[in-house]
Amino acid sequence: VQLVESGGGLVQAGGSLRLSCAASGFTFNNYYMSWVRQAPGKGLEWVSAISTGGGSTAYADSVKGRFTISRDNAKNTVYLQMNNLKPEDTAFYYCAATSIGLRVTARPGDYDYWGQGTQVTVSS
């Protein structure tokens, strides 16, 4: 099983990034996917989640209206489009998979699989 994130980097405030998470080794379209982030010196923060078919999504209040989660089950990939980025969005971003349901938590035990993460840095 692998979840491999990509697309992170350094961007100025107000800019955009698109994160990708490529899955392998499990039946991707049977799993709900989430994005979770960890800022320097802080705990894990749930960011967004999407249902197996993509019809249902959820967002943390801190990113609502700026971030969009989507998935392509044919490509076994989930995305996070991040617009109007702010310095407080600086964090390591992880994707996580669960077969249970649409998770809105950042607890590691609530997910079956985690990726290794990708760094997003937003400069002011």
Side-chain angles (χ1 to χ4, degrees), residues 8-87:
L10 174 63
V11 64
Q12 288 188 329
S16 298
L17 283 174
R18 187 195 197 201
L19 305 184
S20 299
C21 170
S24 61
F26 63 101
T27 307
F28 180 72
N29 57 10
N30 286 347
Y31 282 74
Y32 300 78
M33 300 299 296
S34 288
W35 287 95
V36 175
R37 67 186 181 185
Q38 187 167 28
K42 296 189 176 181
L44 293 170
E45 176 190 16
W46 172 80
V47 174
S48 183
I50 189 167
S51 59
T52 55
S56 296
T57 58
Y59 298 93
D61 287 343
S62 58
V63 306
K64 200 171 292 183
R66 300 187 298 121
F67 290 11
T68 302
I69 190 171
S70 62
R71 66 189 294 161
D72 185 339
N73 285 345
K75 295 183 178 180
N76 287 357
T77 301
V78 61
Y79 305 97
L80 186 68
Q81 178 67 44
M82 306 186 294
N83 297 331
N84 190 22
L85 283 160
K86 303 177 181 180

